[in-house]
Amino acid sequence: MKKVLLAILLLLSFMLVSCAGKYTVREQEMKKYEEVEESFVKGMPPAVVKTVEAYNDGDYETAAMGFNAIMKNSDWSRLHETARYYYAESLFRMGLYQAAEYQLAEILFEGPDGHYFVSSLLKLLAVTYQTNDERVLFAILSNVDSEALPKKFANEILYYLGKISFYNKDDEKALELFSKIKDYSSFYPRAKYFMGVIQVRQQMYAEAMNSFTEIRKMGDDKYIGVDMKKLKGMVELALGELYYAAGFDKNTKNPLAMFNVALNYFNNVDRENSQWFESLFARTWASMLISRFDSTLGTVVTLRSPFFSNVYFPEINIVEAVTFYNLCRYKEVNFVIDKFFEVYPGYKTTIDTYIEDVSTKTGLDIYRDILSQYNDSLAGKESVLPPAVIKDILGDPIFRKQYNHIKEIEKELSIIEKSSSRFKDSDVSKDLEQKMSYQLITLRDESGKWIAGRLKRMSGDLLDLIANAKAIRFEMTDKQKVIFEQEELYGQKLKEAEKREESTFSPAVPEHSYYWPFDGEYWEDELGYYFYNIQSACIDDK
């Protein structure tokens, strides 16, 4: 379940607002920078007039080179502040968002006294929405007095200040900031979600329930640019987590009831939601804890389907084995454990060997090698690491965020490469290429180092799972020894139990649901709806 909660928290870092179709207050404010007033250049040198005309005409390559030249001309010092800002605007309008961010960051780190501080902050927000990378924005907001931030855009600013406090584990401050966001703002539903997560983290279960319930009641089209369907799916999973956590709380009088409610919420996450796989995995734990073995094993059937053949989740073997053990179906336990040992010790050995082989390599080398292995596996070629392991690493939200940043820089370098020869050969282009190329190498190196660390954690997790599997096998040996020793005493019961153990599983579905017997063929629309009405083979159950 830690993996589920981690995925929820990691996923929060990707929740950015897309305000297509209508203009937010920020976007309305930024429209005034689409053109430069002609009165601004009246009586100016021809080079300045030409630059502004190019900008107003949408020739942003010429404008970027012109504003950059103005910035470097010591005789035009009074124009430098404006030129710096419009240089960033020109780069942004060329699709060079990362390049624009460099310039905006320089302006913003100089502090709030500059004429273009607010404009640069708003443009940085626009860049953040394009790149899905909040790090520069967080760095700026963390180093500026909040009193200096524009009150006109308070809801948007409060949202990001709240996220900073959230990731810094300052829950009290985060709750204070999120609670100030007005309920008419498009940032309100997201802020409410963060509040619910914090309240679960702080074991404020009643308050968390109120926060999540409020989101569930919101209209799907009430807020501009907010994917309420996705958010509500996340709420269902979060509510499941809430009750799951409450089930382990020492003050809970009826933990089984909490796990049962958690299971209901996990079931509410539909397959169209990005959280669906996590909800499936969460179901197995919640249902097992309340002895709903029909649900546990039914979900295992879904997770064993070809649709998840390349998904790495060795933990499911332990859940399945423990479930069969609780049902005294020892043949099935041995079968599952045997299958586990056929695969995962070998995975661990392969991972450990790879870690050793790359121990002297740079992060950049590891990054390139993992992507090469991924491409090989897609082409049907053999890869060093198992394809499921590679896919799990590359699908991790932390890696995806870094990878998307890398792809953004690669895209912008491609834009420069395809630009006019005049711009491509300019000092502006050379400066940007140098900065972005350096950052690209740095990001790839950091990603490779993260991959190495991730592989070490996977190896450690596998070591624990292998130990758990060995413990189950030991328990099986001990249990079977006891059964043999008691055979004289329980002879008749043992024979009946053996019959029950060998009986065929009977699929069952909840009331008011259709039933089709499973015939070995998987249908995508049936995934998540498998149940097994399985009898216990324990001799004490008669």
mmCIF file of all heavy atoms in Angstrom, residues 301-317:
data_model
loop_
_atom_site.group_PDB
_atom_site.id
_atom_site.type_symbol
_atom_site.label_atom_id
_atom_site.label_comp_id
_atom_site.label_asym_id
_atom_site.label_seq_id
_atom_site.Cartn_x
_atom_site.Cartn_y
_atom_site.Cartn_z
ATOM 1 N N VAL A 301 -6.839 -12.501 -11.018
ATOM 2 C CA VAL A 301 -7.090 -12.977 -12.386
ATOM 3 C C VAL A 301 -6.935 -11.831 -13.382
ATOM 4 O O VAL A 301 -6.324 -11.978 -14.448
ATOM 5 C CB VAL A 301 -8.507 -13.592 -12.498
ATOM 6 C CG1 VAL A 301 -8.858 -13.859 -13.959
ATOM 7 C CG2 VAL A 301 -8.584 -14.878 -11.706
ATOM 8 N N THR A 302 -7.488 -10.659 -13.022
ATOM 9 C CA THR A 302 -7.344 -9.484 -13.887
ATOM 10 C C THR A 302 -5.877 -9.110 -14.058
ATOM 11 O O THR A 302 -5.396 -8.872 -15.168
ATOM 12 C CB THR A 302 -8.116 -8.297 -13.293
ATOM 13 O OG1 THR A 302 -9.518 -8.546 -13.388
ATOM 14 C CG2 THR A 302 -7.803 -7.008 -14.036
ATOM 15 N N LEU A 303 -5.150 -9.076 -12.949
ATOM 16 C CA LEU A 303 -3.751 -8.667 -12.999
ATOM 17 C C LEU A 303 -2.867 -9.700 -13.690
ATOM 18 O O LEU A 303 -1.771 -9.375 -14.143
ATOM 19 C CB LEU A 303 -3.244 -8.402 -11.578
ATOM 20 C CG LEU A 303 -3.905 -7.207 -10.870
ATOM 21 C CD1 LEU A 303 -3.471 -7.136 -9.409
ATOM 22 C CD2 LEU A 303 -3.554 -5.905 -11.572
ATOM 23 N N ARG A 304 -3.350 -10.929 -13.778
ATOM 24 C CA ARG A 304 -2.603 -11.974 -14.484
ATOM 25 C C ARG A 304 -2.925 -11.988 -15.984
ATOM 26 O O ARG A 304 -2.339 -12.757 -16.736
ATOM 27 C CB ARG A 304 -2.964 -13.346 -13.915
ATOM 28 C CG ARG A 304 -2.495 -13.562 -12.478
ATOM 29 C CD ARG A 304 -1.106 -14.093 -12.453
ATOM 30 N NE ARG A 304 -0.734 -14.509 -11.111
ATOM 31 C CZ ARG A 304 0.390 -14.169 -10.528
ATOM 32 N NH1 ARG A 304 1.256 -13.401 -11.163
ATOM 33 N NH2 ARG A 304 0.685 -14.580 -9.317
ATOM 34 N N SER A 305 -3.839 -11.152 -16.412
ATOM 35 C CA SER A 305 -4.258 -11.158 -17.808
ATOM 36 C C SER A 305 -3.159 -10.624 -18.719
ATOM 37 O O SER A 305 -2.233 -9.936 -18.271
ATOM 38 C CB SER A 305 -5.513 -10.298 -17.977
ATOM 39 O OG SER A 305 -5.199 -8.921 -17.854
ATOM 40 N N PRO A 306 -3.245 -10.917 -20.020
ATOM 41 C CA PRO A 306 -2.230 -10.417 -20.974
ATOM 42 C C PRO A 306 -2.132 -8.898 -21.023
ATOM 43 O O PRO A 306 -1.108 -8.365 -21.445
ATOM 44 C CB PRO A 306 -2.725 -10.975 -22.313
ATOM 45 C CG PRO A 306 -3.568 -12.148 -21.964
ATOM 46 C CD PRO A 306 -4.228 -11.801 -20.666
ATOM 47 N N PHE A 307 -3.183 -8.199 -20.596
ATOM 48 C CA PHE A 307 -3.155 -6.742 -20.620
ATOM 49 C C PHE A 307 -2.127 -6.178 -19.652
ATOM 50 O O PHE A 307 -1.725 -5.023 -19.763
ATOM 51 C CB PHE A 307 -4.547 -6.190 -20.282
ATOM 52 C CG PHE A 307 -5.601 -6.578 -21.273
ATOM 53 C CD1 PHE A 307 -6.404 -7.686 -21.062
ATOM 54 C CD2 PHE A 307 -5.779 -5.844 -22.440
ATOM 55 C CE1 PHE A 307 -7.379 -8.056 -21.980
ATOM 56 C CE2 PHE A 307 -6.747 -6.209 -23.368
ATOM 57 C CZ PHE A 307 -7.548 -7.320 -23.135
ATOM 58 N N PHE A 308 -1.692 -6.993 -18.676
ATOM 59 C CA PHE A 308 -0.702 -6.551 -17.697
ATOM 60 C C PHE A 308 0.559 -7.406 -17.758
ATOM 61 O O PHE A 308 1.311 -7.475 -16.792
ATOM 62 C CB PHE A 308 -1.289 -6.598 -16.282
ATOM 63 C CG PHE A 308 -2.471 -5.703 -16.077
ATOM 64 C CD1 PHE A 308 -3.748 -6.224 -16.014
ATOM 65 C CD2 PHE A 308 -2.311 -4.334 -15.971
ATOM 66 C CE1 PHE A 308 -4.846 -5.401 -15.821
ATOM 67 C CE2 PHE A 308 -3.398 -3.501 -15.787
ATOM 68 C CZ PHE A 308 -4.675 -4.034 -15.713
ATOM 69 N N SER A 309 0.776 -8.056 -18.899
ATOM 70 C CA SER A 309 1.889 -9.008 -19.009
ATOM 71 C C SER A 309 3.245 -8.343 -18.839
ATOM 72 O O SER A 309 4.203 -8.987 -18.397
ATOM 73 C CB SER A 309 1.831 -9.739 -20.361
ATOM 74 O OG SER A 309 1.912 -8.811 -21.437
ATOM 75 N N ASN A 310 3.350 -7.070 -19.188
ATOM 76 C CA ASN A 310 4.638 -6.384 -19.064
ATOM 77 C C ASN A 310 4.679 -5.430 -17.884
ATOM 78 O O ASN A 310 5.510 -4.529 -17.834
ATOM 79 C CB ASN A 310 4.958 -5.612 -20.353
ATOM 80 C CG ASN A 310 5.440 -6.537 -21.455
ATOM 81 O OD1 ASN A 310 6.112 -7.521 -21.181
ATOM 82 N ND2 ASN A 310 5.085 -6.223 -22.684
ATOM 83 N N VAL A 311 3.765 -5.635 -16.938
ATOM 84 C CA VAL A 311 3.745 -4.796 -15.743
ATOM 85 C C VAL A 311 4.500 -5.518 -14.637
ATOM 86 O O VAL A 311 4.295 -6.716 -14.402
ATOM 87 C CB VAL A 311 2.297 -4.494 -15.292
ATOM 88 C CG1 VAL A 311 2.302 -3.655 -14.018
ATOM 89 C CG2 VAL A 311 1.551 -3.766 -16.394
ATOM 90 N N TYR A 312 5.369 -4.778 -13.964
ATOM 91 C CA TYR A 312 6.209 -5.368 -12.918
ATOM 92 C C TYR A 312 5.526 -5.176 -11.565
ATOM 93 O O TYR A 312 5.429 -4.064 -11.062
ATOM 94 C CB TYR A 312 7.572 -4.678 -12.945
ATOM 95 C CG TYR A 312 8.522 -5.126 -11.864
ATOM 96 C CD1 TYR A 312 9.300 -6.276 -12.025
ATOM 97 C CD2 TYR A 312 8.663 -4.388 -10.688
ATOM 98 C CE1 TYR A 312 10.188 -6.679 -11.041
ATOM 99 C CE2 TYR A 312 9.553 -4.786 -9.700
ATOM 100 C CZ TYR A 312 10.304 -5.930 -9.880
ATOM 101 O OH TYR A 312 11.187 -6.332 -8.898
ATOM 102 N N PHE A 313 5.037 -6.258 -10.963
ATOM 103 C CA PHE A 313 4.445 -6.177 -9.625
ATOM 104 C C PHE A 313 4.589 -7.529 -8.925
ATOM 105 O O PHE A 313 3.621 -8.266 -8.755
ATOM 106 C CB PHE A 313 2.987 -5.716 -9.673
ATOM 107 C CG PHE A 313 2.098 -6.490 -10.610
ATOM 108 C CD1 PHE A 313 1.208 -7.434 -10.126
ATOM 109 C CD2 PHE A 313 2.143 -6.275 -11.978
ATOM 110 C CE1 PHE A 313 0.392 -8.149 -10.979
ATOM 111 C CE2 PHE A 313 1.328 -6.986 -12.840
ATOM 112 C CZ PHE A 313 0.449 -7.935 -12.337
ATOM 113 N N PRO A 314 5.791 -7.891 -8.526
ATOM 114 C CA PRO A 314 6.026 -9.188 -7.878
ATOM 115 C C PRO A 314 5.248 -9.368 -6.583
ATOM 116 O O PRO A 314 5.019 -10.492 -6.149
ATOM 117 C CB PRO A 314 7.541 -9.191 -7.627
ATOM 118 C CG PRO A 314 7.939 -7.747 -7.631
ATOM 119 C CD PRO A 314 7.029 -7.091 -8.618
ATOM 120 N N GLU A 315 4.821 -8.256 -5.954
ATOM 121 C CA GLU A 315 4.089 -8.339 -4.693
ATOM 122 C C GLU A 315 2.800 -9.143 -4.829
ATOM 123 O O GLU A 315 2.321 -9.735 -3.859
ATOM 124 C CB GLU A 315 3.744 -6.936 -4.176
ATOM 125 C CG GLU A 315 4.943 -6.059 -3.923
ATOM 126 C CD GLU A 315 5.272 -5.162 -5.108
ATOM 127 O OE1 GLU A 315 5.011 -5.593 -6.258
ATOM 128 O OE2 GLU A 315 5.784 -4.052 -4.887
ATOM 129 N N ILE A 316 2.223 -9.149 -6.050
ATOM 130 C CA ILE A 316 0.945 -9.829 -6.238
ATOM 131 C C ILE A 316 1.076 -11.323 -5.941
ATOM 132 O O ILE A 316 0.112 -11.978 -5.503
ATOM 133 C CB ILE A 316 0.410 -9.597 -7.670
ATOM 134 C CG1 ILE A 316 -1.091 -9.933 -7.738
ATOM 135 C CG2 ILE A 316 1.180 -10.399 -8.687
ATOM 136 C CD1 ILE A 316 -1.958 -9.047 -6.912
ATOM 137 N N ASN A 317 2.260 -11.884 -6.151
ATOM 138 C CA ASN A 317 2.481 -13.303 -5.858
ATOM 139 C C ASN A 317 2.338 -13.583 -4.366
ATOM 140 O O ASN A 317 1.789 -14.621 -3.966
ATOM 141 C CB ASN A 317 3.880 -13.727 -6.328
ATOM 142 C CG ASN A 317 4.036 -13.634 -7.825
ATOM 143 O OD1 ASN A 317 3.766 -14.570 -8.548
ATOM 144 N ND2 ASN A 317 4.479 -12.476 -8.293
#
